[in-house]
């Protein structure tokens, strides 16, 4: 007999393409959208907070300002900034590196013992079926919801949040975590198409190595300097979106567009060959992805965390959904 769960699974592809399913989900999560009432007013968006939303609703407006470190000349101002002076000289160098390249690396940010605790937590949550892999088969979403160690030790880590708030020049809001056991093998993309803000660029992400990462187990890759490209939205490629539907191949076409852009600008691919406990922080618009796994059966335990900023509209440009926050 076909179970309800199987029927749902069979149709999730269709439901994910139907804007109405998100509207229903938005209504069911009204509490996580209520902050948008004031924000829509602030940014002049004249639509319901439950309705689909996308870059078309804003035009190309930068009203509200771009992040302070994206403003030309930011690097020259930093040495005079009192809060900047409080970071260690290694962190200061990395912040300057972030401005220029769109990413920074914090070697040994976490101790081995902390990482071992985190790995044990993820294993326990999987074993107890408190969490599992999402539809991609690779991503464990929001494990922090079931574990104080993941939430307080990593996602909301005070030292990390202080740094992120400084980089963004605004208070950051922890949004989601993604744990990987194997490499993602995800094509090159920028997070700004998946987690979008108005004004643009108010998202930041951290990537933590939970074991050693080398060329064989599908390292994270990235293109230094690509964060300076204009933000690519569904208006810059043929998304196939219509009034009722999200284009069936919108994500693939987006990734094709990014592949073309990398070629056109000649960006150089780099890999993050990390040690356990190293953290890489990337800019909302840095192009990155997961390299192919060439060592059969190799694991690549890692955790990504995404942070939005307070006071901006947060949404998902590909699926045209407002972000549920809280
Ligand atoms: O960890 C990876 O392989 C890539 C992760 C990624 O691209 C993302 O979370 O945006």
């Amino acid at each position: 007999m076909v179970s309800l769960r199987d029927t749902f699974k069979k149709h999730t592809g269709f439901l994910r393409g139907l804007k109405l399913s998100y509207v229903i989900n938005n209504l069911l999560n009204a509490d996580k959208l209520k902050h948008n009432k004031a924000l829509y007013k602030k940014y002049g968006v004249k639509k319901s907070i439950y309705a689909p939303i996308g870059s078309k609703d804003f035009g190309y407006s930068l009203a509200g300002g771009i992040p302070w470190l994206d403003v030309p000349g930011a690097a020259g101002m930093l040495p005079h900034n009192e809060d900047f002076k409080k970071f260690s000289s290694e962190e200061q160098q990395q912040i300057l590196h972030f401005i220029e390249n769109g990413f920074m690396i914090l070697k040994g940010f976490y101790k081995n013992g902390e990482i071992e605790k985190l790995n044990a937590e993820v294993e326990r949550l999987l074993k107890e079926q408190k969490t599992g892999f999402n539809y991609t088969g690779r991503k464990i979403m929001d494990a922090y919801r079931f574990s104080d160690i993941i939430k307080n030790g990593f996602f909301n880590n005070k030292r990390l949040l202080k740094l992120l708030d400084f980089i963004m020049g605004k208070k950051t809001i922890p949004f989601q975590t993604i744990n990987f056991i194997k490499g993602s093998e995800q094509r090159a993309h920028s997070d700004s198409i998946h987690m979008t803000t108005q004004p643009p660029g108010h998202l930041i992400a951290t990537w933590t190595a939970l074991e050693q990462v080398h060329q064989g187990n599908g390292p994270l890759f990235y293109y230094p300097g690509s964060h300076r490209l204009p933000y690519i939205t569904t208006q810059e490629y043929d998304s196939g979106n219509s009034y009722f539907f999200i284009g069936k191949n919108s994500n693939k076409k987006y990734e094709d567009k990014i592949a073309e852009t990398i070629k056109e600008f000649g960006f150089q691919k780099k890999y993050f060959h990390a040690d356990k406990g190293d953290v890489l922080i990337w800019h909302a618009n840095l192009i990155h992805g997961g390299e192919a796994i060439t060592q059969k059966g190799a694991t690549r335990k890692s955790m990504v965390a995404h942070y939005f900023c307070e006071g901006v509209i947060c949404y998902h440009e590909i699926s045209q959904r407002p972000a549920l926050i809280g």
Side-chain angles (χ1 to χ4, degrees):
M1 203 171 69
V2 180
S3 71
L4 196 61
R5 195 165 170 213
D6 289 341
T7 312
F8 182 75
K9 266 191 167 170
K10 195 170 149 197
H11 296 291
T12 48
F14 171 74
L15 291 175
R16 254 186 278 117
L18 187 64
K19 287 185 180 175
L20 184 62
S21 10
Y22 295 123
V23 175
I24 294 168
N25 197 44
N26 293 340
L27 286 163
L28 293 173
N29 286 283
D31 238 32
K32 296 180 178 171
L33 290 172
K34 60 179 190 295
H35 60 277
N36 275 343
K37 278 202 174 130
L39 288 171
Y40 282 18
K41 209 167 166 193
K42 174 174 167 187
Y43 291 102
V45 179
K46 291 193 174 51
K47 56 171 22 180
S48 157
I49 57 168
Y50 308 112
I53 189 146
S55 56
K56 262 194 180 155
D57 293 302
F58 308 111
Y60 287 88
S61 168
L62 290 177
I66 56 172
W68 74 307
L69 295 187
D70 288 343
V71 175
M77 304 291 285
L78 280 186
H80 309 287
N81 180 293
E82 289 308 317
D83 290 330
F84 180 71
K85 290 182 200 167
K86 291 180 194 150
F87 288 103
S88 69
S89 65
E90 192 196 330
E91 285 168 336
Q92 289 182 11
Q93 266 178 21
Q94 285 299 319
I95 294 169
L96 292 167
H97 186 274
F98 178 91
I99 295 176
E100 194 56 31
N101 298 284
F103 71 97
M104 63 194 279
I105 291 173
L106 302 167
K107 290 295 295 173
F109 188 85
Y110 294 109
K111 297 195 180 79
N112 268 353
E114 293 175 293
I115 299 294
E116 270 145 34
K117 272 192 195 153
L118 171 53
N119 283 337
E121 274 299 87
V122 175
E123 221 171 273
R124 177 183 69 78
L125 294 174
L126 285 174
K127 199 165 154 206
E128 292 174 3
Q129 297 190 349
K130 295 259 166 40
T131 185
F133 295 95
N134 79 347
Y135 68 94
T136 65
R138 299 278 172 108
K139 299 183 178 184
I140 303 166
M141 303 303 297
D142 295 331
Y144 77 90
R145 291 189 194 278
F146 313 103
S147 160
D148 282 346
I149 292 178
I150 302 177
K151 186 173 178 179
N152 300 323
F154 292 83
F155 192 32
N156 291 350
N157 179 286
K158 286 203 175 79
R159 193 177 141 216
L160 186 66
L161 287 183
K162 195 173 147 223
L163 182 59
L164 298 181
D165 287 357
F166 179 80
I167 296 171
M168 298 312 299
K170 281 189 193 310
K171 189 159 171 32
T172 49
I173 310 169
F175 176 62
Q176 68 174 18
T177 59
I178 312 175
N179 279 84
F180 295 91
I181 303 297
K182 277 167 62 168
S184 71
E185 300 189 306
Q186 196 173 340
R187 289 180 71 195
H189 63 282
S190 123
D191 283 349
S192 60
I193 193 87
H194 298 294
M195 281 153 287
T196 323
T197 63
Q198 180 60 28
H202 290 89
L203 174 99
I204 191 156
T206 66
W207 192 102
T208 304
L210 305 180
E211 68 176 299
Q212 189 159 23
V213 182
H214 49 83
Q215 203 54 30
N217 63 354
L220 177 77
F221 65 78
Y222 51 91
Y223 293 88
S226 56
H227 66 304
R228 296 252 168 97
L229 286 168
Y231 286 87
I232 293 177
T233 72
T234 53
Q235 296 176 77
E236 276 73 52
Y237 67 96
D238 175 21
S239 71
N241 287 351
S242 63
Y243 190 76
F244 290 110
F245 294 99
I246 301 300
K248 211 170 168 200
N249 297 313
S250 176
N251 192 45
K252 182 188 172 304
K253 287 185 180 162
Y254 163 74
E255 289 171 344
D256 291 345
K257 169 82 184 169
I258 288 292
E260 262 171 44
T261 308
I262 292 168
K263 256 198 201 149
E264 185 186 338
F265 285 83
F267 288 116
Q268 294 298 307
K269 192 180 203 179
K270 298 277 183 205
Y271 298 96
F272 187 35
H273 290 165
D275 291 318
K276 203 183 202 178
D278 292 351
V279 172
L280 186 145
I281 299 176
W282 68 68
H283 183 282
N285 204 30
L286 185 82
I287 297 178
H288 65 277
E291 190 62 2
I293 303 167
T294 53
Q295 184 181 314
K296 207 169 162 239
T299 60
R300 194 219 61 188
K301 293 178 190 165
S302 57
M303 182 166 115
V304 172
H306 291 107
Y307 302 82
F308 278 122
C309 290
E310 243 176 36
V312 299
I313 298 176
C314 306
Y315 64 102
H316 307 281
E317 170 69 357
I318 290 245
S319 53
Q320 309 270 290
R321 288 175 294 138
L324 304 175
I325 294 180

